[in-house]
Amino acid sequence: MGLKFYYQFLSASECNIYREIVKGIEKRKKSIRVLGNGKQTEKILNFVYYDYPEFFYVDTTKTTLQASNVTTVLQIGYHKNTEQIKAIEQKLEIVSMKFLNKLEKTKMDNLSLIRYVHNFIIKNTEYAMENKEQGQVYGDVSSIHGVFLNHKALCKGIALAAKWLLDKAGIMSAVMEGRMIDQDSPRLEHYTGSCNEINHAWNLVCVNDIWHFMDVTMDLGRSKKDWICYDYFLRNKEIFDAYVQYRDLYVSCKEELYSYFVICKVAFSDREILKKYLAYCKKKHKKRIYFQLKGEASNITEEQIIELVGQYITGECRYRVNKKLYIYDIFISEERI
């Protein structure tokens, strides 16, 4: 089965259902009969979609289940014909070969490789905002085809693309779906994970046997051509629980060893240490000041931070503030003093 995250958590009977679904989709069957009830089969079908980014041609909106107490028949919809699928697979194979050749030439370690995947998608993908606004959230924009060939996708397509590349590199990862918490989608008291509660997708990624969350879509929305953001790159459960709800987490994500803020030592819980960092940035003529506040320092207001930065950096500055995570990203113009 290779790097199939959800498969490993299934019972023996559930694994049989999983394999039958995979076999049927690979053969482009429109009808697949499995030995299992409807609720069980629906859960496993979603796991198959998460584990197999290469099933870009399945139309999940046209898949139906007809269940009895013993068996379930799945009617699978496809939005690509056989000729189209083969043509796209050939193009994706070229993408895969270029990616693997890059890895072979550069000899990246696991952390560098994951960062490369994160950055590659951000640099080459546009968020399909128009599709989102029009409610066109399925099909190409929610598949790897949208990312690698159309260069336009929504969160699910982006998460599947990250998994597809990480699979190629031999790094275990998973796609997760859940509910984004914001003004339009407040936290639900009783979240069930039903389809009408899901509006976002991201990844779990295993780095040197430690699991982290990674949300490429959220970083894409904050990045510019010359500035890649890492607000949501390899973070822990505490960080992600601040802005998303989700049902099942099969692994522990309490640690955070490889985030940008840990690696670069720019997560500050003390105002005096932050001042030292700002003084260092001034001395080194840094063009970008990027840090996170934690603990008591997270109580420092945005106005106080801007005032504090102004004591060290003069000239034109552009601020980006992630208020949920207390992250400050400051861009400094060439004309600064």
Side-chain angles (χ1 to χ4, degrees):
M1 280 291 177
L3 301 176
K4 305 308 176 189
F5 176 82
Y6 289 102
Y7 179 81
Q8 64 186 313
F9 300 105
L10 300 177
S11 66
S13 61
E14 289 174 330
C15 285
N16 289 333
I17 297 172
Y18 182 106
R19 288 193 295 268
E20 286 301 313
I21 294 173
V22 170
K23 193 186 305 180
I25 292 175
E26 288 177 336
K27 293 181 178 180
R28 320 283 195 265
K29 285 187 176 182
K30 294 183 179 179
S31 181
I32 304 171
R33 181 183 295 273
V34 298
L35 192 62
N37 62 50
K39 186 176 181 180
Q40 180 186 42
T41 302
E42 184 176 16
K43 179 191 79 170
I44 296 167
L45 177 63
N46 286 327
F47 286 174
V48 169
Y49 291 153
Y50 296 152
D51 278 348
Y52 281 82
E54 54 267 44
F55 289 165
F56 61 86
Y57 43 82
V58 175
D59 187 342
T60 56
T61 65
K62 293 182 179 179
T63 298
T64 61
L65 285 75
Q66 298 174 335
S68 68
N69 292 333
V70 180
T71 63
T72 300
V73 177
L74 298 91
Q75 301 296 336
I76 307 293
Y78 299 93
H79 59 84
K80 305 288 182 190
N81 60 39
T82 300
E83 187 176 330
Q84 290 172 325
I85 293 170
K86 287 183 178 178
I88 293 170
E89 286 179 335
Q90 289 175 355
K91 293 178 181 178
L92 289 172
E93 182 61 27
I94 294 172
V95 174
S96 175
M97 289 175 60
K98 288 182 177 178
F99 173 69
L100 292 174
N101 287 338
K102 173 74 174 180
L103 301 190
E104 179 63 27
K105 288 179 180 178
T106 55
K107 304 294 183 183
M108 287 183 267
D109 59 26
N110 285 352
L111 178 59
S112 299
L113 194 156
I114 296 165
R115 184 167 54 242
Y116 175 75
V117 168
H118 172 274
N119 294 357
F120 178 84
I121 293 174
I122 288 175
K123 290 176 180 178
N124 293 280
T125 310
E126 176 187 348
Y127 184 75
M129 181 60 74
E130 185 176 336
N131 294 75
K132 179 68 177 290
E133 291 175 345
Q134 295 177 358
Q136 300 171 353
V137 298
Y138 297 98
D140 290 349
V141 291
S142 289
S143 74
I144 60 173
H145 173 237
V147 172
F148 297 118
L149 303 185
N150 296 342
H151 305 292
K152 180 180 287 189
L154 294 170
C155 57
K156 188 171 183 178
I158 290 168
L160 286 165
K163 175 171 172 54
W164 187 75
L165 289 177
L166 292 170
D167 281 354
K168 299 292 181 184
I171 292 178
M172 180 64 85
S173 68
V175 174
M176 288 191 71
E177 284 190 294
R179 179 183 179 84
M180 175 143 345
I181 304 165
D182 54 27
Q183 291 181 346
D184 298 325
S185 305
R187 184 180 293 275
L188 296 177
E189 185 176 350
H190 301 291
Y191 177 75
T192 65
S194 60
C195 292
N196 64 324
E197 293 174 349
I198 291 174
N199 61 10
H200 192 51
W202 63 96
N203 295 98
L204 287 171
V205 184
C206 189
V207 194
N208 301 331
D209 297 324
I210 305 294
W211 284 95
H212 295 72
F213 288 100
M214 180 174 76
D215 193 335
V216 182
T217 301
M218 291 291 280
D219 283 338
L220 169 62
R222 287 156 174 75
S223 298
K224 304 294 181 184
K225 288 185 178 179
D226 298 329
W227 301 98
I228 299 294
C229 293
Y230 298 97
D231 293 19
Y232 299 90
F233 177 72
L234 302 182
R235 309 307 305 265
N236 62 15
K237 184 178 185 295
E238 180 183 359
I239 293 294
F240 270 64
D241 284 355
Y243 84 101
V244 288
Q245 284 182 280
Y246 47 90
R247 278 194 63 197
D248 301 315
L249 189 60
Y250 294 91
V251 294
S252 173
C253 291
K254 293 181 180 180
E255 296 184 75
E256 187 176 303
L257 301 182
Y258 301 106
S259 76
Y260 173 93
F261 306 96
V262 171
I263 293 291
C264 297
K265 299 180 180 179
V266 287
F268 305 116
S269 57
D270 183 273
R271 185 191 293 258
E272 295 306 313
I273 298 176
L274 173 59
K275 288 181 179 179
K276 290 180 180 178
Y277 169 67
L278 293 173
Y280 168 81
C281 291
K282 178 180 180 181
K283 181 180 179 181
K284 295 295 183 178
H285 302 290
K286 295 287 186 181
K287 295 181 180 179
R288 185 184 191 184
I289 301 175
Y290 189 25
F291 60 90
Q292 181 174 22
L293 302 179
K294 61 180 183 177
E296 291 186 7
S298 61
N299 295 321
I300 306 174
T301 67
E302 183 177 337
E303 291 75 16
Q304 289 173 328
I305 290 294
I306 293 174
E307 182 182 352
L308 184 61
V309 170
Q311 296 175 18
Y312 294 88
I313 307 298
T314 57
E316 289 294 323
C317 293
R318 180 161 52 91
Y319 291 82
R320 179 183 67 84
V321 183
N322 185 330
K323 295 181 180 180
K324 280 186 181 289
L325 304 186
Y326 307 103
I327 291 172
Y328 290 80
D329 200 356
I330 303 163
F331 304 87
I332 304 165
S333 71
E334 296 292 339
E335 291 78 22
R336 69 169 190 157
I337 298 175

